[in-house]
Structure formats: structure tokens, C-alpha cells
Amino acid sequence: ACLPMLAALLACMLLACQSGPSETAGEAPSPADVTALSPPDQQPRPLNLKDIYQELGYPQAAYEAGIEGKVVVKVLIDEQGQYVQHELLEEGHALLATEVAKHLPKLQFEAAQKDGKPVQAWVSIPFVFKKS
């Protein structure tokens, strides 16, 4: 009884991996949908990360309050190299995490590649705030 269910589940997972998340629903894929995909041959390459770091700078309120820390985000990049969504891996301080999150939708990447075709992929990005 378990074997047919397992076969059906595997077939469903393979079909989901081949077709990818539905674009028509207008919803971002869940991390579970994306992590089911095999890893890309080539990771996404940031195109404007230096600009984002510069634009973000050191948030004035955090700087004046002496708040330091590290914010690490995991960002989902689509087949066009655009930001889809993110997860917070390391918050550091809520004020810093909030400021970082405001800038993430502006990120642009060269899309990840799998078998010579652009694919969605996750990439982790650190943001370090330290008073010198």
C-alpha cells in the first residue's frame, strides 16, 4: 500500500521540479518548492550589490545609538535575475534588519544556470554594520 503512494509522491515531485512554480497564481514559491529543485551549475552573480551596500550605508539611527551587528539574508532570485523573496538567517538587530529588507527588492543578479538555462536559486548575503 505504501509503494503506490511513494511512486505517486515521487512522480508529483518530479513533475513539480520540471514545470516549476505556477506563474499564473501570482504567488511566490515557498522555500520548500524551491529547495526541491536540484542545485544550479552556476550560482546567481550579483550585478548591483555594491550599489545596494552604498545606498544602504550605516542607518543613521543605528549609528547614533551605537548599534552594531550582522544581518544575513537568504534571497530567492528568479530566472530573470530579479528579487522574489527573502528569509532572515541572522537578524543582528531589528533596526538593521528592517533597513536591509527595504533595499532587497532593488537587487539585480545574473540568473543562476542549470544545464545552460536560467533557473531560480537562493543566495545568502551578509550585511555587516560596525562603527570604525
Side-chain angles (χ1 to χ4, degrees):
C2 290
L3 193 56
M5 282 182 57
L6 182 59
L9 179 62
L10 286 173
C12 184
M13 285 174 52
L14 287 172
L15 185 61
C17 289
Q18 289 173 351
S19 64
S22 170
E23 296 291 328
T24 56
E27 295 178 11
S30 74
D33 292 339
V34 179
T35 53
L37 302 174
S38 58
D41 301 326
Q42 176 185 324
Q43 291 295 323
R45 192 173 61 82
L47 299 175
N48 68 340
L49 187 56
K50 286 183 182 178
D51 297 335
I52 298 297
Y53 282 143
Q54 188 172 3
E55 186 180 308
L56 175 61
Y58 203 128
Q60 190 67 33
Y63 185 83
E64 289 173 1
I67 297 170
E68 296 181 344
K70 180 177 179 181
V71 177
V72 181
V73 291
K74 186 166 89 168
V75 179
L76 179 60
I77 306 301
D78 69 12
E79 297 88 343
Q80 288 76 43
Q82 301 299 309
Y83 166 92
V84 176
Q85 66 185 44
H86 73 276
E87 292 179 9
L88 201 56
L89 297 179
E90 189 176 327
E91 184 173 341
H93 187 279
L95 177 62
L96 298 174
T98 300
E99 289 302 313
V100 166
K102 289 179 187 177
H103 290 81
L104 295 177
K106 300 174 190 173
L107 283 169
Q108 296 177 347
F109 285 78
E110 185 177 296
Q113 297 282 318
K114 178 72 174 174
D115 299 325
K117 296 179 183 168
V119 294
Q120 290 188 7
W122 288 97
V123 61
S124 294
I125 307 170
F127 293 84
V128 179
F129 301 91
K130 186 161 180 70
K131 292 178 90 171
S132 31

